[in-house]
Amino acid sequence: MTSELTVGTGAGLDTADMVLNIGPQHPSTHGVLRLKLVLDGERVLSAEPIIGYMHRGAEKLFEVRDYRQIIMLANRHDWLSAFCNELGVVLAVERLMGIEVPDRAVWLRTALAELNRVLNHLMFLGSYPLEIGAITPVFYAFRERETIQAVLEEASGGRMHYMYNRVGGLKEEVPAGWTTRARTAIDQVRRRMPDLDNLIRRNEIFLARTVGVGVLSAADAAAYGASGPVARASGLDFDLRRDEPYLAYGALDVPVVTRTTGDCHARFEVLLDQVYASLDLAQTCLDEVDKLTGPVNVRLPKVVKAPEGHTYAWTENPLGINGYYLVSHGEKTPWRLKLRTASYSNVQALSKLLPGTLVPDLIAILGSMFFVVGDVDK
Amino acid sequence: MGSVVGDPIKFVLNWGRRYSLWVFNFGLACCAIEFIATSMGRHDFMRLGVIPFAHGPRQADLMVVSGTVTDKMAPAVKRLYDQMPEPKYVISFGACSNCGGPYWDSYSVTKGVDQLIPVDVYIPGCPPRPEALLHGIMKLQDKIAGEQSGLGGVNRTDVKALTAPPVRRP
């Protein structure tokens, strides 16, 4: 006997639920996240993120790399914030080894971390409107990205994976006159940001797609361990740069950008305003760097060995809290280096956010969670 | 077929194919960001005839595998490649898709996308600069220009060999 099955909008009122896979290769997932949806017509009944398509086994590889090599793998899990990822590793190792980092290196690191934050946010400021149909902002975003990338490239030699951090400081002194050029680039970006801002922030269509869509409550954000812009948009006023300062953030007045509505537009606005805040912070750090002279790294032994013990270093990465739990048995490689990544926790909230929404809203919500798949899968 | 088609037709076919490469970006990891950067204003590969608006593999001529291919992802890579119509070309963009790159000793990473699909041009780098992708595209265009192609597509020799089991049963 054959039974008739009506899927989607059929003649009858009762429709069978349809299971739809979004991804792993789908233009709107920027990366290879797979969502298994159960749909009733256009409405999402349940959504299950299936991860692991980008699992590269970084944690296991950390155990067979020495401390200098680990940095190179560590900056690749969240490929949009390479500098900040490196930072977590070196901070953990430095703490375990009891290394005092020279002042100039600390301020340079802070400046570069903020510039990296701007780079990361610009990527999402471009790609998010693109996903929901606005093509133009991404061109402006990439114009600014190229400007800042040029500065970082001049210092480190890399466009994305800088490898500029070393245990005990930085790889080398920045080129002569670099701070001036960095400041010029910051000015340029700050001057041109309104191009992007005016185009999208108050755009009618953009507002219609994002306001009130995908509301994440502060309690839910906290329950899922969400952090970074996603949590701050829900009113979770938590920023490690202010609340547990590392690097030179203790000496800086870090403005924490928050919103309370917790919808897609709030998340986008947090990102947008954070760009301005980070540009200001980077500028302040560069001014401070100019006042300081001295080395930017310390001399290390030929074989770097962290003494036996364990430590946990966490940093406020562009996408949220990024933590490294380092357990050392006194060898030249860590015994275990556990990664706590921001996107992994943020993506968990999807299974709470998505049920009950429509498929077009799903794209808007997915994009607004600002995740990097490598950061989810490690 | 190649022998039937005369040189002028061959030239026109190749000329058409090399400057109208609808590209399907198999964006997997870091390299995808550099791919996007290449498609943006500064580097702008559209001036080379590479069009990044293919709706999916079925409408594409060129697949750029940019990023780490994991064993979990491998079936999808193969499947999407099979969906592309002939003539089709593959650029392997970045160290990971060339050979595994920095994840050469990882338990979950495929050591090169050429274990799954035939690759025309390899671009080294981790990630390669946008200029490297432009160079790779021009290399591919040179390759297409020299092809002995017929109307039906390009003669490929080793697609079967790639899918054949490495060990045959006695």
Side-chain angles (χ1 to χ4, degrees), chain A residues 102-105 108 173 289 291-297:
Chain A
D103 263 356
R104 194 173 154 82
L108 267 173
E173 182 56 77
V289 167
K291 291 181 204 155
L292 295 165
T293 49
V296 291
N297 44 26

Side-chain angles (χ1 to χ4, degrees), chain B residues 10-11 13-14 17-18 87-89 120 140-150 153-156:
Chain B
K10 221 181 276 177
F11 175 81
L13 279 177
N14 287 345
R17 278 170 190 164
R18 64 198 275 219
K88 54 188 172 183
Y89 307 96
D120 292 288
L140 178 66
Q141 287 174 338
D142 289 347
K143 193 174 172 179
I144 297 173
E147 256 171 4
Q148 293 298 310
S149 56
V154 190
N155 289 329
R156 283 184 200 285

Side-chain angles (χ1 to χ4, degrees), chain A residues 25 32 51-57 60-61 65 72-73 76 79 138-139 142 145-146 153 159-161, chain B residues 25-26 28-30 33-34 36-37 40 68 70 72-73 80 102-103 105-108 126-127 129-130:
Chain A
Q25 172 65 26
V32 282
I51 62 169
Y53 285 94
M54 204 18 53
H55 178 71
R56 309 193 269 199
K60 201 70 195 161
L61 295 182
R65 303 280 202 272
M72 176 266 172
L73 278 182
R76 275 165 176 74
W79 46 75
V138 73
F139 293 100
F142 264 85
R145 263 178 70 87
E146 293 285 347
E153 187 187 348
R159 278 170 55 90
M160 286 181 70
H161 298 309
Chain B
N25 176 24
F26 211 111
L28 291 162
C30 337
I33 307 295
E34 287 297 65
I36 299 167
M40 289 298 149
T68 320
T70 58
K72 190 169 180 178
M73 197 64 200
L80 294 190
Y103 301 94
D105 54 348
S106 168
Y107 54 83
S108 58
C126 189
R129 303 177 58 82

Side-chain angles (χ1 to χ4, degrees), chain A residues 142-377:
Chain A
F142 264 85
R143 183 185 63 185
E144 312 311 337
R145 263 178 70 87
E146 293 285 347
T147 311
I148 295 183
Q149 265 180 337
V151 168
L152 284 171
E153 187 187 348
E154 192 193 344
S156 68
R159 278 170 55 90
M160 286 181 70
H161 298 309
Y162 308 108
M163 271 305 284
Y164 200 46
N165 276 301
R166 292 290 187 274
V167 176
L170 294 172
K171 179 182 144 211
E172 60 198 4
E173 182 56 77
V174 289
W178 178 83
T179 47
T180 317
R181 287 190 289 281
R183 229 174 266 125
T184 317
I186 291 172
D187 283 340
Q188 270 177 0
V189 173
R190 197 186 283 128
R191 200 176 64 242
R192 294 189 306 216
M193 271 305 284
D195 290 354
L196 200 157
D197 198 331
N198 295 338
L199 202 58
I200 196 74
R201 191 200 286 256
R202 292 274 149 227
N203 181 295
E204 205 172 313
I205 305 169
F206 186 70
L207 290 176
R209 287 296 303 273
T210 55
V211 172
V213 173
V215 178
L216 181 70
S217 69
D220 281 337
Y224 280 101
S227 55
V230 173
R232 285 198 285 274
S234 302
L236 214 61
D237 190 5
F238 180 63
D239 191 323
L240 282 179
R241 293 175 294 165
R242 181 198 59 195
D243 300 329
E244 201 185 301
Y246 55 101
L247 293 183
Y249 288 119
L252 285 167
D253 182 23
V254 182
V256 179
V257 183
T258 55
R259 290 287 183 279
T260 46
T261 42
D263 58 0
C264 294
H265 193 258
R267 289 193 276 274
F268 186 78
E269 269 198 328
V270 167
L271 229 56
L272 199 51
D273 289 339
Q274 181 64 56
V275 168
Y276 295 106
S278 288
L279 287 173
D280 291 343
L281 279 177
Q283 183 120 27
T284 317
C285 295
L286 288 172
D287 292 343
E288 204 64 36
V289 167
D290 275 347
K291 291 181 204 155
L292 295 165
T293 49
V296 291
N297 44 26
V298 294
R299 210 174 150 72
L300 290 177
K302 204 164 226 168
V303 180
V304 178
K305 283 184 182 171
E308 197 167 340
H310 59 95
T311 186
Y312 182 65
W314 56 350
T315 55
E316 184 71 31
N317 256 32
L319 298 178
I321 292 168
N322 190 63
Y324 291 95
Y325 181 58
L326 170 65
V327 183
S328 172
H329 280 188
E331 313 266 318
K332 59 180 183 178
T333 62
W335 187 75
R336 176 90 167 97
L337 186 56
K338 165 79 176 75
L339 250 173
R340 184 259 187 244
T341 53
S343 307
Y344 183 68
S345 313
N346 293 355
V347 162
Q348 316 260 338
L350 280 178
S351 52
K352 174 89 185 176
L353 277 183
L354 293 180
T357 58
L358 298 173
V359 173
D361 287 343
L362 176 139
I363 304 299
I365 296 170
L366 199 60
S368 76
M369 293 309 283
F370 308 126
F371 59 87
V372 168
V373 180
D375 206 27
V376 176
D377 291 342

Side-chain angles (χ1 to χ4, degrees), chain A residues 10-31:
Chain A
L13 285 173
D14 290 332
T15 55
D17 296 341
M18 180 168 80
V19 177
L20 180 71
N21 280 299
I22 304 242
Q25 172 65 26
H26 188 268
S28 77
T29 59
H30 46 91

Side-chain angles (χ1 to χ4, degrees), chain A residues 1-6:
Chain A
M1 184 192 144
T2 56
S3 62
E4 196 171 299
L5 191 74
T6 316

